[in-house]
Amino acid sequence: MTTLNSSFGLEFAPTPFLMRIGRRELLITRDFRKRFYAVNPIIECDTGIEAGHLEVLLFRRWLLILSRAH
């Protein structure tokens, strides 16, 4: 049995950046998900996991998540 330290894999992940603009929130982070479809190399838009979210993938690397502020 192997023991994993608490920072497993997180030392290379950049911190997400959250910005609030009025009633909207913009979260910018690096996309680490494996996509099983052909992704547009410049910009890809998709609905988010929750209602009211919009995910924009830029250059197959940066994920922008637009949502309503809580």
Side-chain angles (χ1 to χ4, degrees):
M1 181 170 201
T2 337
T3 58
L4 299 174
N5 60 9
S6 62
S7 63
F8 176 72
L10 295 177
E11 63 269 9
F12 300 113
T15 349
F17 177 72
L18 179 68
M19 185 169 50
R20 187 171 179 172
I21 304 170
R23 295 174 51 189
R24 296 283 177 188
E25 287 181 348
L26 173 66
L27 177 71
I28 303 171
T29 186
R30 185 91 182 253
D31 185 35
F32 290 105
R33 288 186 283 182
K34 171 92 173 134
R35 306 211 182 241
F36 296 100
Y37 57 90
V39 177
N40 191 327
I42 298 173
I43 189 168
E44 178 84 21
C45 294
D46 194 13
T47 58
I49 297 172
E50 296 181 24
H53 285 70
L54 175 69
E55 294 182 354
V56 180
L57 183 64
L58 294 175
F59 305 113
R60 295 182 182 168
R61 180 170 293 161
W62 296 104
L63 185 64
L64 309 173
I65 301 174
L66 301 166
S67 65
R68 291 190 321 203
H70 295 97

